[in-house]
Amino acid sequence: MKYNDQIEKRRTFAIISHPDAGKTTLTEKLLLFGGAIQTAGAVKSNKIKKTATSDFMEIEKQRGISVATSVMAFQYGGKQINILDTPGHKDFAEDTYRTLTAVDSVILIIDCANGVEEQTERLMEVCRMRKTPVIIFINKMDREGRDSFDLLDELENMLKIKVRPLSWPIGIGSTFQGVYDIYKKELNLFAANKTKISTDVVKIENLNDPQLVKIIGEDSTAELQEELDLVNGVYDDFDKSEYLKGNVAPVFFGSAINNFGVKELLEAFLEISPSPQGRETSIGFIEPQNDNFSGFVFKIHANLDPNHRDRIAFLRIVSGKFERNTFYNHTRLDKKFKFPNPTSFMAQDKSVIDEAFPGDVIGLYDTGNFKIGDTLTEGPSFSFKGIPSFSPEIFMELENKDPMKSKQLEKGIQQLTDEGVAQLFVQQPGNRKIVGTVGQLQFEVIKYRLEHEYGAKCDFVPKRYHKACWMTTDNKPQLDQFVRAKSTYIAMDKDGNHVFLAETPFLLQMAQQDYPDITFHFTSDFKVTQES
Ligand code: G4P
């Protein structure tokens, strides 16, 4: 197959949702369609149940599962589909944000009863920042939920994106009869069925077709006609190019658990979603068609086997062809590496691959050479931009509880933060280590892993910081002065950038007032957001 065809046939995306909206269920149904799994129940949810927050073995088990299901590839309709899994638990939100840098589009699931939830908003913020094309799937239509128009309004208002329904539900919950596919002009009749993947489809070109009344009844027909008139009056026609620019999100309705609306979603996805896209780098934009191989690491996972300290680095290929046993340049280390056992992920199986193409995600065995955001290239050296760090929300100082094991502690915390489990800020004097996370659960994970994987014991002492702010300025003397004046609140991040640890919103505001030439950012990705 020609190289360009290899690119064109790939679709790399993530399914994102607030926990419990149906991400695991939808993923599983998609894999069933693709024949990647044969039975329902094969995909385990990688969410950490609320009751298990202090159950460390559970965390370990969950980590294992999420390695196995991190990337799920399958073939459907002549396309090679790569689904990147994202953790459901909000304490692992940063992992999700990073994964979103490796996809070309997303499917966002909304529970029809709950509408937009906290995590939905946060995830969508990241998609908006990156202009990622989004398709919305309103799930659980077999249950009583909210009015569809109200839901669409809420999506537009809270997620700050225009929407365009491409299918429309007939009834909801106990009165749910099916979905009218506006895009294909077909009526899909609902039959609750958790194991079969077929639905009854009737072609209805014209809403005045007498067949419609016969099938769904007079009242529902009148209602459907009226609602569709409203839909077509209120929403602009679907414009694929606006979707690809991330300006409008097409909306589908269905019930993942019942396999309903899933096939339509998948087929529309294949028709409109983008093929692998290029990425911005330190030397400009790199297109996937570029002959030289390039890719970046967006996730690192420690191997579960305690006897083998190696880790898996997940690399998204951006351009060129990756080949096994070929030397590539590791830009940050300026060193060449080759990979004898690169793996691909087909559902739960990992297998060694000889080559891979743009859009693919491969696993590279790593003995500690990779950090999140690292670039591998062939030809000219450059690095990819835009694996953001967000300001953590909880800060703790790391305290060594076993002075005999300080080396192990140092190594462990470095490696775990390289993996992106948490962010590390180092304060002088004394090399004090402040660990920042988005959730409490990560501290438990770090403590457990430091002890079990590195033999080090630690404690965490809470620090009352409000935000970590990265800083930029054109007025270097002012920044130097600020760093001197606030030295007790200044730390270094992993890349050697100064970070201001603001104790309260008020103190941050004061700093902004007193040092007007400094811009304070809540993410390390200055180019993308310009928050202050
Ligand atoms: P998540 O990965 O987004 O967290 O959600 P998940 O797929 O695990 O789904 C959360 C719950 O919602 C599950 O029920 C699942 O069965 C249910 N669900 C998913 N899709 C639908 C749907 O279309 N209709 C209805 N009625 N329910 C749906 P659970 O009781 O938490 O788990 P389980 O015991 O069913 O596994």
Side-chain angles (χ1 to χ4, degrees), residues 458-500:
C458 74
D459 249 349
F460 285 109
V461 184
K463 297 300 253 185
R464 287 180 45 200
Y465 296 126
H466 158 66
K467 284 263 187 260
C469 311
W470 285 266
M471 293 166 286
T472 51
T473 186
D474 288 333
N475 183 347
K476 176 121 189 348
Q478 191 173 89
L479 182 62
D480 291 346
Q481 193 198 341
F482 178 77
V483 167
R484 269 196 311 275
K486 302 277 176 195
S487 61
T488 10
Y489 301 103
I490 298 291
M492 291 287 194
D493 77 356
K494 65 176 174 23
D495 301 316
N497 297 311
H498 279 124
V499 173
F500 173 48

Side-chain angles (χ1 to χ4, degrees), residues 356-373:
F357 295 90
D360 284 343
V361 170
I362 55 173
L364 303 175
Y365 284 98
D366 171 36
T367 48
N369 294 313
F370 284 117
K371 279 190 187 185
I372 288 189

Side-chain angles (χ1 to χ4, degrees), residues 17-25 47 139-140 142-143 255-257:
S17 75
H18 188 87
D20 276 347
K23 185 167 68 70
T24 312
T25 311
K47 66 188 160 187
N139 190 27
K140 306 196 186 179
D142 59 313
R143 288 222 297 231
S255 165
I257 194 108

